[in-house]
Amino acid sequence: MPLKKEIRVLGLDDAPFELSDKECLVIGTFFRGGEFMDGVLSTKVTVDGDDSTLKVIAAINKSRFKTQLQAIFTDGIAFGGFNVINIHNLYKHTGVPVIIVVRRKPDFEKLEKTLQQLGMEKKYQVMEKAGTPQEVKTNRGKIFMQTAGITAEKAKSILDVCCTRSYLPEAIRAAHLIGAGIV
């Protein structure tokens, strides 16, 4: 059975920030597929902190759209620098499948080395638990994804519906634009 074109999704992205900032704004946009934005949410996370998973879970669970959500997209696995999202906990505590998308495959050796130098080895372990990013071709081009609570096949079909104007889902693109306009 084909996927509905107006599947309700949430796209999350962090707004621009300075390394000297204590907090970073995270914007979420609720979309029906890749066509209509129905709402916006926001929260703040600590730059390079450990609270992004909990803050995002709380914001989603308070949302009036939560019961209709079919997928949560994030642009990368961390907000506010190295505030790494535990995608399995995000799925577990919201009940909504999570799809991390990035344009380029991360250099995990470089990430691990950087986090070790910063004394943040535990953050790398959370990244590893998210699994190896899988290359996926959408109707707009090639991206990489990591998932929790959803099969790769179903995630790809959702991406095909939601990537209408960009390589990334429209919900992420809109969240990025809003964040850039506010900060």
Side-chain angles (χ1 to χ4, degrees):
M1 181 165 80
L3 195 64
K4 284 175 48 177
K5 293 290 182 199
E6 292 194 4
I7 180 174
R8 177 97 48 181
V9 297
L10 172 65
L12 297 163
D13 194 14
D14 55 355
F17 66 95
E18 300 291 327
L19 289 177
S20 59
D21 292 344
K22 289 183 180 177
E23 291 183 315
C24 172
L25 182 64
V26 175
I27 302 289
T29 61
F30 293 95
F31 260 74
R32 283 184 277 149
E35 298 296 325
F36 304 102
M37 184 169 57
D38 289 329
V40 178
L41 69 74
S42 68
T43 190
K44 289 185 178 180
V45 300
T46 308
V47 172
D48 289 336
D50 295 312
D51 59 353
S52 64
T53 305
L54 293 175
K55 294 277 185 96
V56 168
I57 288 168
I60 291 169
N61 285 339
K62 284 192 275 185
S63 165
R64 68 185 179 125
F65 295 113
K66 193 236 179 191
T67 59
Q68 301 167 12
L69 277 181
Q70 301 296 309
I72 299 166
F73 293 115
T74 68
D75 186 8
I77 197 163
F79 296 134
F82 287 119
N83 197 328
V84 179
I85 304 157
N86 183 321
I87 65 171
H88 298 289
N89 281 347
L90 180 54
Y91 168 65
K92 178 181 175 183
H93 294 285
T94 62
V96 181
V98 179
I99 305 168
I100 306 273
V101 293
V102 291
R103 290 184 182 146
R104 288 178 283 293
K105 190 171 185 176
D107 182 342
F108 284 105
E109 286 182 30
K110 186 176 178 182
L111 275 170
E112 183 177 24
K113 187 176 180 180
T114 301
L115 288 168
Q116 283 176 344
Q117 289 172 345
L118 295 171
M120 299 180 180
E121 295 87 356
K122 288 184 179 181
K123 293 176 186 283
Y124 186 75
Q125 293 169 358
V126 175
M127 288 179 176
E128 276 187 315
K129 287 180 184 174
T132 303
Q134 300 174 35
E135 182 177 321
V136 63
K137 289 185 170 91
T138 68
N139 51 8
R140 289 288 180 173
K142 177 180 76 171
I143 59 175
F144 293 87
M145 71 174 180
Q146 294 163 285
T147 61
I150 189 170
T151 66
E153 183 179 309
K154 177 94 185 245
K156 186 197 177 310
S157 67
I158 293 173
L159 284 165
D160 284 339
V161 168
C162 297
C163 296
T164 55
R165 290 168 185 79
S166 163
Y167 286 50
L168 299 177
E170 200 62 17
I172 288 177
R173 195 173 83 80
H176 177 81
L177 292 171
I178 292 168
I182 291 173
V183 176

PDB file of all heavy atoms in Angstrom, residues 120-150:
ATOM      1  N   MET A 120      35.226  13.701  25.774  1.00  0.00           N
ATOM      2  CA  MET A 120      33.802  13.411  25.584  1.00  0.00           C
ATOM      3  C   MET A 120      33.588  12.037  24.943  1.00  0.00           C
ATOM      4  O   MET A 120      32.732  11.870  24.078  1.00  0.00           O
ATOM      5  CB  MET A 120      33.165  14.487  24.696  1.00  0.00           C
ATOM      6  CG  MET A 120      33.216  15.879  25.232  1.00  0.00           C
ATOM      7  SD  MET A 120      32.408  17.001  24.048  1.00  0.00           S
ATOM      8  CE  MET A 120      32.591  18.568  24.875  1.00  0.00           C
ATOM      9  N   GLU A 121      34.349  11.036  25.364  1.00  0.00           N
ATOM     10  CA  GLU A 121      34.289   9.710  24.760  1.00  0.00           C
ATOM     11  C   GLU A 121      32.891   9.100  24.820  1.00  0.00           C
ATOM     12  O   GLU A 121      32.472   8.382  23.911  1.00  0.00           O
ATOM     13  CB  GLU A 121      35.271   8.737  25.433  1.00  0.00           C
ATOM     14  CG  GLU A 121      36.727   9.085  25.254  1.00  0.00           C
ATOM     15  CD  GLU A 121      37.264  10.047  26.320  1.00  0.00           C
ATOM     16  OE1 GLU A 121      36.485  10.522  27.174  1.00  0.00           O
ATOM     17  OE2 GLU A 121      38.471  10.331  26.275  1.00  0.00           O
ATOM     18  N   LYS A 122      32.146   9.376  25.894  1.00  0.00           N
ATOM     19  CA  LYS A 122      30.805   8.792  26.042  1.00  0.00           C
ATOM     20  C   LYS A 122      29.867   9.253  24.929  1.00  0.00           C
ATOM     21  O   LYS A 122      28.967   8.524  24.528  1.00  0.00           O
ATOM     22  CB  LYS A 122      30.215   9.128  27.407  1.00  0.00           C
ATOM     23  CG  LYS A 122      30.888   8.378  28.535  1.00  0.00           C
ATOM     24  CD  LYS A 122      30.224   8.656  29.863  1.00  0.00           C
ATOM     25  CE  LYS A 122      30.934   7.846  30.940  1.00  0.00           C
ATOM     26  NZ  LYS A 122      30.335   8.033  32.245  1.00  0.00           N
ATOM     27  N   LYS A 123      30.077  10.442  24.426  1.00  0.00           N
ATOM     28  CA  LYS A 123      29.240  10.946  23.339  1.00  0.00           C
ATOM     29  C   LYS A 123      29.456  10.119  22.075  1.00  0.00           C
ATOM     30  O   LYS A 123      28.513   9.844  21.325  1.00  0.00           O
ATOM     31  CB  LYS A 123      29.518  12.419  23.074  1.00  0.00           C
ATOM     32  CG  LYS A 123      29.080  13.314  24.221  1.00  0.00           C
ATOM     33  CD  LYS A 123      29.457  14.751  23.962  1.00  0.00           C
ATOM     34  CE  LYS A 123      29.162  15.624  25.152  1.00  0.00           C
ATOM     35  NZ  LYS A 123      27.760  15.956  25.305  1.00  0.00           N
ATOM     36  N   TYR A 124      30.690   9.693  21.856  1.00  0.00           N
ATOM     37  CA  TYR A 124      30.973   8.864  20.685  1.00  0.00           C
ATOM     38  C   TYR A 124      30.273   7.510  20.804  1.00  0.00           C
ATOM     39  O   TYR A 124      29.784   6.966  19.823  1.00  0.00           O
ATOM     40  CB  TYR A 124      32.478   8.683  20.471  1.00  0.00           C
ATOM     41  CG  TYR A 124      32.769   7.948  19.192  1.00  0.00           C
ATOM     42  CD1 TYR A 124      32.642   8.600  17.969  1.00  0.00           C
ATOM     43  CD2 TYR A 124      33.120   6.607  19.194  1.00  0.00           C
ATOM     44  CE1 TYR A 124      32.859   7.929  16.778  1.00  0.00           C
ATOM     45  CE2 TYR A 124      33.346   5.926  18.014  1.00  0.00           C
ATOM     46  CZ  TYR A 124      33.216   6.593  16.811  1.00  0.00           C
ATOM     47  OH  TYR A 124      33.416   5.920  15.635  1.00  0.00           O
ATOM     48  N   GLN A 125      30.213   6.972  22.014  1.00  0.00           N
ATOM     49  CA  GLN A 125      29.521   5.698  22.225  1.00  0.00           C
ATOM     50  C   GLN A 125      28.038   5.813  21.863  1.00  0.00           C
ATOM     51  O   GLN A 125      27.454   4.896  21.282  1.00  0.00           O
ATOM     52  CB  GLN A 125      29.683   5.232  23.671  1.00  0.00           C
ATOM     53  CG  GLN A 125      31.107   4.852  24.018  1.00  0.00           C
ATOM     54  CD  GLN A 125      31.311   4.645  25.518  1.00  0.00           C
ATOM     55  OE1 GLN A 125      30.404   4.819  26.316  1.00  0.00           O
ATOM     56  NE2 GLN A 125      32.536   4.280  25.891  1.00  0.00           N
ATOM     57  N   VAL A 126      27.413   6.950  22.184  1.00  0.00           N
ATOM     58  CA  VAL A 126      26.011   7.170  21.822  1.00  0.00           C
ATOM     59  C   VAL A 126      25.881   7.237  20.299  1.00  0.00           C
ATOM     60  O   VAL A 126      24.945   6.674  19.717  1.00  0.00           O
ATOM     61  CB  VAL A 126      25.446   8.454  22.480  1.00  0.00           C
ATOM     62  CG1 VAL A 126      24.031   8.745  22.003  1.00  0.00           C
ATOM     63  CG2 VAL A 126      25.486   8.328  23.998  1.00  0.00           C
ATOM     64  N   MET A 127      26.843   7.897  19.644  1.00  0.00           N
ATOM     65  CA  MET A 127      26.833   7.975  18.182  1.00  0.00           C
ATOM     66  C   MET A 127      26.948   6.580  17.561  1.00  0.00           C
ATOM     67  O   MET A 127      26.242   6.259  16.610  1.00  0.00           O
ATOM     68  CB  MET A 127      27.996   8.837  17.676  1.00  0.00           C
ATOM     69  CG  MET A 127      27.844  10.294  17.926  1.00  0.00           C
ATOM     70  SD  MET A 127      29.310  11.152  17.299  1.00  0.00           S
ATOM     71  CE  MET A 127      28.852  12.832  17.601  1.00  0.00           C
ATOM     72  N   GLU A 128      27.841   5.765  18.118  1.00  0.00           N
ATOM     73  CA  GLU A 128      28.035   4.407  17.604  1.00  0.00           C
ATOM     74  C   GLU A 128      26.763   3.575  17.714  1.00  0.00           C
ATOM     75  O   GLU A 128      26.443   2.791  16.816  1.00  0.00           O
ATOM     76  CB  GLU A 128      29.153   3.694  18.368  1.00  0.00           C
ATOM     77  CG  GLU A 128      30.536   3.990  17.860  1.00  0.00           C
ATOM     78  CD  GLU A 128      31.579   3.113  18.547  1.00  0.00           C
ATOM     79  OE1 GLU A 128      31.527   2.973  19.783  1.00  0.00           O
ATOM     80  OE2 GLU A 128      32.428   2.578  17.826  1.00  0.00           O
ATOM     81  N   LYS A 129      26.030   3.729  18.818  1.00  0.00           N
ATOM     82  CA  LYS A 129      24.803   2.947  19.027  1.00  0.00           C
ATOM     83  C   LYS A 129      23.726   3.284  18.006  1.00  0.00           C
ATOM     84  O   LYS A 129      22.794   2.504  17.805  1.00  0.00           O
ATOM     85  CB  LYS A 129      24.273   3.154  20.448  1.00  0.00           C
ATOM     86  CG  LYS A 129      25.121   2.460  21.488  1.00  0.00           C
ATOM     87  CD  LYS A 129      24.581   2.689  22.883  1.00  0.00           C
ATOM     88  CE  LYS A 129      25.509   2.050  23.909  1.00  0.00           C
ATOM     89  NZ  LYS A 129      25.122   2.366  25.272  1.00  0.00           N
ATOM     90  N   ALA A 130      23.841   4.434  17.372  1.00  0.00           N
ATOM     91  CA  ALA A 130      22.864   4.819  16.345  1.00  0.00           C
ATOM     92  C   ALA A 130      23.054   4.007  15.067  1.00  0.00           C
ATOM     93  O   ALA A 130      22.174   3.997  14.203  1.00  0.00           O
ATOM     94  CB  ALA A 130      22.964   6.311  16.040  1.00  0.00           C
ATOM     95  N   GLY A 131      24.181   3.325  14.944  1.00  0.00           N
ATOM     96  CA  GLY A 131      24.431   2.492  13.766  1.00  0.00           C
ATOM     97  C   GLY A 131      25.157   3.242  12.668  1.00  0.00           C
ATOM     98  O   GLY A 131      25.307   4.459  12.704  1.00  0.00           O
ATOM     99  N   THR A 132      25.588   2.485  11.700  1.00  0.00           N
ATOM    100  CA  THR A 132      26.297   3.040  10.555  1.00  0.00           C
ATOM    101  C   THR A 132      25.311   3.746   9.622  1.00  0.00           C
ATOM    102  O   THR A 132      24.278   3.161   9.279  1.00  0.00           O
ATOM    103  CB  THR A 132      27.015   1.913   9.771  1.00  0.00           C
ATOM    104  OG1 THR A 132      27.885   1.234  10.668  1.00  0.00           O
ATOM    105  CG2 THR A 132      27.806   2.457   8.602  1.00  0.00           C
ATOM    106  N   PRO A 133      25.613   4.963   9.228  1.00  0.00           N
ATOM    107  CA  PRO A 133      24.718   5.653   8.293  1.00  0.00           C
ATOM    108  C   PRO A 133      24.605   4.873   6.983  1.00  0.00           C
ATOM    109  O   PRO A 133      25.605   4.415   6.433  1.00  0.00           O
ATOM    110  CB  PRO A 133      25.397   7.002   8.067  1.00  0.00           C
ATOM    111  CG  PRO A 133      26.252   7.204   9.270  1.00  0.00           C
ATOM    112  CD  PRO A 133      26.715   5.831   9.656  1.00  0.00           C
ATOM    113  N   GLN A 134      23.371   4.728   6.520  1.00  0.00           N
ATOM    114  CA  GLN A 134      23.105   4.018   5.270  1.00  0.00           C
ATOM    115  C   GLN A 134      22.887   5.027   4.153  1.00  0.00           C
ATOM    116  O   GLN A 134      22.152   6.001   4.324  1.00  0.00           O
ATOM    117  CB  GLN A 134      21.848   3.170   5.399  1.00  0.00           C
ATOM    118  CG  GLN A 134      21.900   2.126   6.470  1.00  0.00           C
ATOM    119  CD  GLN A 134      20.543   1.444   6.613  1.00  0.00           C
ATOM    120  OE1 GLN A 134      19.829   1.246   5.652  1.00  0.00           O
ATOM    121  NE2 GLN A 134      20.193   1.094   7.843  1.00  0.00           N
ATOM    122  N   GLU A 135      23.501   4.766   3.014  1.00  0.00           N
ATOM    123  CA  GLU A 135      23.276   5.624   1.852  1.00  0.00           C
ATOM    124  C   GLU A 135      21.885   5.330   1.302  1.00  0.00           C
ATOM    125  O   GLU A 135      21.473   4.175   1.199  1.00  0.00           O
ATOM    126  CB  GLU A 135      24.323   5.336   0.790  1.00  0.00           C
ATOM    127  CG  GLU A 135      24.201   6.209  -0.436  1.00  0.00           C
ATOM    128  CD  GLU A 135      25.291   5.950  -1.456  1.00  0.00           C
ATOM    129  OE1 GLU A 135      26.450   5.727  -1.064  1.00  0.00           O
ATOM    130  OE2 GLU A 135      24.960   5.970  -2.655  1.00  0.00           O
ATOM    131  N   VAL A 136      21.166   6.379   0.973  1.00  0.00           N
ATOM    132  CA  VAL A 136      19.834   6.219   0.401  1.00  0.00           C
ATOM    133  C   VAL A 136      19.662   7.254  -0.708  1.00  0.00           C
ATOM    134  O   VAL A 136      20.085   8.400  -0.567  1.00  0.00           O
ATOM    135  CB  VAL A 136      18.736   6.350   1.491  1.00  0.00           C
ATOM    136  CG1 VAL A 136      18.723   7.716   2.119  1.00  0.00           C
ATOM    137  CG2 VAL A 136      17.380   6.002   0.949  1.00  0.00           C
ATOM    138  N   LYS A 137      19.074   6.814  -1.802  1.00  0.00           N
ATOM    139  CA  LYS A 137      18.803   7.723  -2.912  1.00  0.00           C
ATOM    140  C   LYS A 137      17.338   8.131  -2.837  1.00  0.00           C
ATOM    141  O   LYS A 137      16.450   7.293  -2.888  1.00  0.00           O
ATOM    142  CB  LYS A 137      19.110   7.031  -4.234  1.00  0.00           C
ATOM    143  CG  LYS A 137      20.598   6.835  -4.449  1.00  0.00           C
ATOM    144  CD  LYS A 137      20.886   6.256  -5.813  1.00  0.00           C
ATOM    145  CE  LYS A 137      22.359   6.297  -6.095  1.00  0.00           C
ATOM    146  NZ  LYS A 137      23.139   5.229  -5.747  1.00  0.00           N
ATOM    147  N   THR A 138      17.135   9.425  -2.684  1.00  0.00           N
ATOM    148  CA  THR A 138      15.774   9.954  -2.675  1.00  0.00           C
ATOM    149  C   THR A 138      15.478  10.512  -4.056  1.00  0.00           C
ATOM    150  O   THR A 138      16.352  10.509  -4.935  1.00  0.00           O
ATOM    151  CB  THR A 138      15.605  11.062  -1.617  1.00  0.00           C
ATOM    152  OG1 THR A 138      16.370  12.201  -2.026  1.00  0.00           O
ATOM    153  CG2 THR A 138      16.053  10.600  -0.243  1.00  0.00           C
ATOM    154  N   ASN A 139      14.284  11.034  -4.228  1.00  0.00           N
ATOM    155  CA  ASN A 139      13.931  11.617  -5.516  1.00  0.00           C
ATOM    156  C   ASN A 139      14.726  12.887  -5.812  1.00  0.00           C
ATOM    157  O   ASN A 139      14.678  13.400  -6.915  1.00  0.00           O
ATOM    158  CB  ASN A 139      12.421  11.883  -5.593  1.00  0.00           C
ATOM    159  CG  ASN A 139      11.900  12.651  -4.406  1.00  0.00           C
ATOM    160  OD1 ASN A 139      12.666  13.127  -3.571  1.00  0.00           O
ATOM    161  ND2 ASN A 139      10.590  12.766  -4.309  1.00  0.00           N
ATOM    162  N   ARG A 140      15.469  13.401  -4.840  1.00  0.00           N
ATOM    163  CA  ARG A 140      16.268  14.616  -5.016  1.00  0.00           C
ATOM    164  C   ARG A 140      17.773  14.363  -5.022  1.00  0.00           C
ATOM    165  O   ARG A 140      18.547  15.254  -5.320  1.00  0.00           O
ATOM    166  CB  ARG A 140      15.958  15.621  -3.910  1.00  0.00           C
ATOM    167  CG  ARG A 140      14.613  16.230  -4.031  1.00  0.00           C
ATOM    168  CD  ARG A 140      14.633  17.168  -5.187  1.00  0.00           C
ATOM    169  NE  ARG A 140      13.351  17.812  -5.360  1.00  0.00           N
ATOM    170  CZ  ARG A 140      13.154  18.767  -6.226  1.00  0.00           C
ATOM    171  NH1 ARG A 140      14.126  19.181  -6.986  1.00  0.00           N
ATOM    172  NH2 ARG A 140      11.968  19.295  -6.353  1.00  0.00           N
ATOM    173  N   GLY A 141      18.208  13.174  -4.647  1.00  0.00           N
ATOM    174  CA  GLY A 141      19.638  12.885  -4.635  1.00  0.00           C
ATOM    175  C   GLY A 141      20.007  11.945  -3.505  1.00  0.00           C
ATOM    176  O   GLY A 141      19.150  11.383  -2.835  1.00  0.00           O
ATOM    177  N   LYS A 142      21.303  11.800  -3.288  1.00  0.00           N
ATOM    178  CA  LYS A 142      21.832  10.864  -2.304  1.00  0.00           C
ATOM    179  C   LYS A 142      22.036  11.540  -0.957  1.00  0.00           C
ATOM    180  O   LYS A 142      22.570  12.641  -0.879  1.00  0.00           O
ATOM    181  CB  LYS A 142      23.164  10.316  -2.814  1.00  0.00           C
ATOM    182  CG  LYS A 142      23.868   9.384  -1.869  1.00  0.00           C
ATOM    183  CD  LYS A 142      25.173   8.889  -2.444  1.00  0.00           C
ATOM    184  CE  LYS A 142      26.208   9.983  -2.364  1.00  0.00           C
ATOM    185  NZ  LYS A 142      27.557   9.559  -2.698  1.00  0.00           N
ATOM    186  N   ILE A 143      21.583  10.867   0.118  1.00  0.00           N
ATOM    187  CA  ILE A 143      21.840  11.304   1.485  1.00  0.00           C
ATOM    188  C   ILE A 143      22.191  10.065   2.307  1.00  0.00           C
ATOM    189  O   ILE A 143      22.161   8.944   1.804  1.00  0.00           O
ATOM    190  CB  ILE A 143      20.638  12.054   2.110  1.00  0.00           C
ATOM    191  CG1 ILE A 143      19.383  11.173   2.125  1.00  0.00           C
ATOM    192  CG2 ILE A 143      20.392  13.370   1.408  1.00  0.00           C
ATOM    193  CD1 ILE A 143      18.196  11.810   2.829  1.00  0.00           C
ATOM    194  N   PHE A 144      22.492  10.272   3.568  1.00  0.00           N
ATOM    195  CA  PHE A 144      22.767   9.164   4.480  1.00  0.00           C
ATOM    196  C   PHE A 144      21.793   9.260   5.646  1.00  0.00           C
ATOM    197  O   PHE A 144      21.425  10.347   6.073  1.00  0.00           O
ATOM    198  CB  PHE A 144      24.213   9.236   4.984  1.00  0.00           C
ATOM    199  CG  PHE A 144      25.207   8.995   3.892  1.00  0.00           C
ATOM    200  CD1 PHE A 144      25.663  10.035   3.098  1.00  0.00           C
ATOM    201  CD2 PHE A 144      25.673   7.708   3.629  1.00  0.00           C
ATOM    202  CE1 PHE A 144      26.557   9.808   2.073  1.00  0.00           C
ATOM    203  CE2 PHE A 144      26.570   7.475   2.613  1.00  0.00           C
ATOM    204  CZ  PHE A 144      27.022   8.526   1.823  1.00  0.00           C
ATOM    205  N   MET A 145      21.380   8.078   6.151  1.00  0.00           N
ATOM    206  CA  MET A 145      20.417   8.077   7.252  1.00  0.00           C
ATOM    207  C   MET A 145      20.785   7.030   8.295  1.00  0.00           C
ATOM    208  O   MET A 145      21.449   6.038   8.007  1.00  0.00           O
ATOM    209  CB  MET A 145      18.998   7.820   6.742  1.00  0.00           C
ATOM    210  CG  MET A 145      18.770   6.411   6.265  1.00  0.00           C
ATOM    211  SD  MET A 145      17.036   6.145   5.839  1.00  0.00           S
ATOM    212  CE  MET A 145      17.124   4.426   5.336  1.00  0.00           C
ATOM    213  N   GLN A 146      20.348   7.296   9.518  1.00  0.00           N
ATOM    214  CA  GLN A 146      20.387   6.349  10.628  1.00  0.00           C
ATOM    215  C   GLN A 146      18.971   6.333  11.182  1.00  0.00           C
ATOM    216  O   GLN A 146      18.299   7.364  11.182  1.00  0.00           O
ATOM    217  CB  GLN A 146      21.376   6.800  11.701  1.00  0.00           C
ATOM    218  CG  GLN A 146      22.822   6.777  11.228  1.00  0.00           C
ATOM    219  CD  GLN A 146      23.710   7.603  12.145  1.00  0.00           C
ATOM    220  OE1 GLN A 146      23.670   8.819  12.086  1.00  0.00           O
ATOM    221  NE2 GLN A 146      24.495   6.932  12.965  1.00  0.00           N
ATOM    222  N   THR A 147      18.515   5.180  11.661  1.00  0.00           N
ATOM    223  CA  THR A 147      17.123   5.080  12.086  1.00  0.00           C
ATOM    224  C   THR A 147      16.965   4.371  13.423  1.00  0.00           C
ATOM    225  O   THR A 147      17.832   3.604  13.841  1.00  0.00           O
ATOM    226  CB  THR A 147      16.294   4.303  11.036  1.00  0.00           C
ATOM    227  OG1 THR A 147      16.819   2.976  10.916  1.00  0.00           O
ATOM    228  CG2 THR A 147      16.312   4.993   9.685  1.00  0.00           C
ATOM    229  N   ALA A 148      15.831   4.636  14.050  1.00  0.00           N
ATOM    230  CA  ALA A 148      15.414   3.928  15.266  1.00  0.00           C
ATOM    231  C   ALA A 148      13.906   3.747  15.184  1.00  0.00           C
ATOM    232  O   ALA A 148      13.176   4.708  14.899  1.00  0.00           O
ATOM    233  CB  ALA A 148      15.783   4.709  16.522  1.00  0.00           C
ATOM    234  N   GLY A 149      13.435   2.510  15.373  1.00  0.00           N
ATOM    235  CA  GLY A 149      12.004   2.242  15.400  1.00  0.00           C
ATOM    236  C   GLY A 149      11.354   2.131  14.040  1.00  0.00           C
ATOM    237  O   GLY A 149      10.124   2.177  13.948  1.00  0.00           O
ATOM    238  N   ILE A 150      12.155   1.987  12.984  1.00  0.00           N
ATOM    239  CA  ILE A 150      11.607   1.938  11.628  1.00  0.00           C
ATOM    240  C   ILE A 150      12.586   1.179  10.739  1.00  0.00           C
ATOM    241  O   ILE A 150      13.802   1.242  10.943  1.00  0.00           O
ATOM    242  CB  ILE A 150      11.357   3.370  11.097  1.00  0.00           C
ATOM    243  CG1 ILE A 150      10.573   3.355   9.781  1.00  0.00           C
ATOM    244  CG2 ILE A 150      12.648   4.147  10.964  1.00  0.00           C
ATOM    245  CD1 ILE A 150      10.082   4.731   9.348  1.00  0.00           C
TER     246      ILE A 150
END
